[in-house]
């Protein structure tokens, strides 16, 4: 496979894991990542990083959705001993309104522990928490993972190129296959009208005493990192295209998080983030041919790119194998 030329468009979590997976399966392939945003400029950088799919997260079938999540979980498990920003984390989700809000059918059978919270645990945070769950999962710090992944791509002989791709057809003749991991950029790149931005805001505070994550009603979450920073969120504005930070949203997030965990009162704010999550139902991982160019789409993960990106990238490389072996319908 020394002559196989694979271009990967996008350098967020989905793009870098796609490139790494191609190199893992086809080590002699010539792999190039193309993007105009890297590391701290990507949407992935703003993510809290917890492995926790939303219950509405969807691939083309329930079986495929489950497969993606299992493959992602196993992928991260294999990296726990690497210095790449993957760590174990545990915590709680509380609700005052419904037991359904503290259950997650996509996660319960996958993580090592997912159980009902005890009365003492429900009482550990202020509020009328009638329902709760405790579970153990994984955390990915993209500020460490993305640079690590790019360096690994280069070390395996791949290239990383700063380039804005206006059209996939401009790549025809340069690559045998292009993997489109452009995220929200695919809305214009391939005219995908099913792709919708979900605007989100979070901010990080310095609070090394927080050791567990907490989720609660009204989209409130508190997620600590190993370095002592804690992500506070969140907000979800469907079909909102502005990346201007809203002071009212930040104030509301802070108020909800401090009410849930009063020790956060006065914690130093280190940085805030506003970004557009690329939501598509279902997530698109499929083959397409445009002229002579063979394309594998891998985008539309919404707020779950970190959770499902490695799994969809493994699927994308299986589609690549179908192209190579002549088993695709292209």
């Amino acid at each position: 496979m020394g002559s196989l030329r694979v271009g990967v468009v996008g350098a967020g979590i989905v793009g870098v894991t796609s490139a790494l997976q191609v190199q893992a399966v086809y080590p002699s392939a010539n792999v190039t990542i193309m993007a105009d945003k890297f590391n701290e400029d990507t949407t992935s950088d703003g993510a809290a990083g917890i492995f926790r799919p939303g219950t509405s997260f969807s691939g083309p079938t329930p079986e495929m959705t489950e497969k993606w999540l299992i493959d992602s979980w196993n992928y991260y498990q294999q990296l726990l001993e690497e210095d790449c920003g993957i760590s174990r984390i545990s915590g709680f989700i509380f609700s005052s309104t419904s037991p359904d809000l503290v259950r997650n059918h996509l996660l319960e059978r996958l993580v090592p522990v997912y159980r009902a919270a005890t009365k003492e645990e429900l009482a550990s945070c202020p509020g009328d928490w009638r329902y709760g769950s405790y579970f153990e999962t994984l955390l990915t710090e993209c500020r460490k993972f993305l640079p690590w992944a790019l360096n690994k791509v280069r070390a395996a002989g791949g290239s990383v190129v700063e380039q804005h791709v206006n059209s996939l057809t401009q790549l025809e003749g340069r690559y045998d296959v292009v993997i489109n991991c452009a995220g929200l950029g695919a809305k214009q790149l391939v005219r995908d009208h099913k792709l919708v931005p979900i605007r989100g805001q979070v901010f990080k505070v310095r609070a090394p005493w927080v050791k567990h994550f907490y989720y609660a009603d009204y989209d409130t979450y508190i997620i600590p990192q190993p370095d002592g920073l804690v992500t506070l969120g969140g907000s979800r504005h469907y079909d909102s295209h502005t990346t201007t930070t809203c002071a009212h949203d930040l104030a509301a997030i802070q108020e909800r998080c401090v009410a849930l965990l009063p020790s956060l009162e006065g914690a130093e704010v280190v940085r805030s983030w506003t970004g557009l999550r690329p939501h598509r139902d279902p997530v698109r991982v499929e083959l397409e041919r445009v002229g002579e160019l063979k394309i594998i789409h891998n985008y539309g993960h919404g707020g779950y790119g970190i959770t499902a990106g490695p799994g969809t990238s493994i699927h994308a490389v299986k589609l690549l194998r179908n192209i190579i072996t002549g088993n695709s319908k292209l």
Side-chain angles (χ1 to χ4, degrees):
M1 300 308 302
S3 62
L4 178 66
R5 301 168 300 169
V6 179
V8 178
V9 178
I13 191 79
V14 180
V16 298
T17 54
S18 291
L20 288 171
Q21 188 62 23
V22 172
Q23 291 178 319
V25 177
Y26 299 107
S28 297
N30 187 341
V31 178
T32 301
I33 295 178
M34 296 160 281
D36 55 3
K37 294 180 180 179
F38 294 91
N39 297 327
E40 296 180 14
D41 294 326
T42 66
T43 300
S44 296
D45 180 74
I50 194 168
F51 190 102
R52 177 181 176 264
T55 54
S56 63
F57 176 77
S58 177
T61 66
E63 295 77 17
M64 185 61 68
T65 304
E66 183 178 29
K67 175 63 172 170
W68 288 347
L69 295 174
I70 291 171
D71 285 347
S72 285
W73 177 265
N74 291 337
Y75 178 87
Y76 288 128
Q77 287 286 333
Q78 295 170 1
L79 295 178
L80 278 169
E81 301 305 317
E82 298 272 355
D83 185 20
C84 63
I86 312 296
S87 59
R88 296 181 177 91
I89 191 171
S90 62
F92 304 92
I93 178 168
F94 298 139
S95 175
S96 60
T97 58
S98 172
D100 292 337
L101 296 181
V102 302
R103 301 293 300 273
N104 189 316
H105 68 286
L106 295 173
L107 197 58
E108 290 176 6
R109 296 193 301 252
L110 186 56
V111 298
V113 178
Y114 200 114
R115 61 164 174 79
T118 66
K119 289 183 178 180
E120 292 75 18
E121 289 168 342
L122 288 172
S124 65
C125 291
D128 181 25
W129 307 121
R130 301 174 60 192
Y131 313 102
S133 294
Y134 166 89
F135 62 96
E136 299 173 1
T137 186
L138 298 172
L139 186 78
T140 300
E141 300 171 78
C142 274
R143 290 226 162 169
K144 293 185 69 174
F145 184 82
L146 292 178
W148 172 87
L150 290 173
N151 286 335
K152 191 170 183 180
V153 168
R154 295 186 186 99
S159 301
V160 178
V161 178
E162 184 174 349
Q163 175 185 350
H164 178 73
V165 178
N166 295 304
S167 170
L168 293 180
T169 57
Q170 76 185 71
L171 305 177
E172 187 174 333
R174 295 169 52 190
Y175 302 99
D176 301 304
V177 179
V178 168
I179 305 179
N180 173 23
C181 308
L184 191 60
K187 190 172 183 67
Q188 285 74 40
L189 192 61
V190 296
R191 302 299 177 189
D192 188 342
H193 301 295
K194 295 186 70 174
L195 194 58
V196 178
I198 298 182
R199 179 177 173 275
Q201 287 191 189
V202 301
F203 63 100
K204 294 182 184 289
V205 300
R206 197 174 306 281
W209 57 88
V210 179
K211 302 301 181 183
H212 294 290
F213 63 77
Y214 297 89
Y215 282 84
D217 291 334
Y218 310 113
D219 202 27
T220 301
Y221 54 84
I222 298 166
I223 302 175
Q225 300 175 181
D227 61 3
L229 298 185
V230 180
T231 303
L232 307 184
S235 62
R236 299 177 188 271
H237 299 280
Y238 185 84
D239 208 10
S240 174
H241 294 254
T242 179
T243 56
T244 301
T245 298
C246 175
H248 298 291
D249 283 346
L250 290 180
I253 291 168
Q254 186 171 35
E255 181 180 358
R256 296 197 312 268
C257 289
V258 169
L260 180 62
L261 203 63
S263 66
L264 292 171
E265 179 75 47
E268 176 193 0
V269 177
V270 177
R271 65 177 181 270
S272 63
W273 174 88
T274 303
L276 304 178
R277 308 173 181 109
H279 172 74
R280 190 182 191 274
D281 188 13
V283 177
R284 189 181 188 190
V285 187
E286 62 185 22
L287 298 170
E288 184 180 19
R289 185 166 187 155
V290 178
E292 293 301 314
L293 184 64
K294 301 177 182 69
I295 302 167
I296 301 173
H297 297 291
N298 187 10
Y299 65 83
H301 300 65
Y304 308 110
I306 290 175
T307 295
T312 64
S313 298
I314 291 169
H315 185 180
V317 175
K318 289 179 180 177
L319 297 180
L320 175 63
R321 182 183 299 115
N322 289 342
I323 293 173
I324 293 169
T325 59
N327 292 325
S328 73
K329 296 180 181 180
L330 291 179

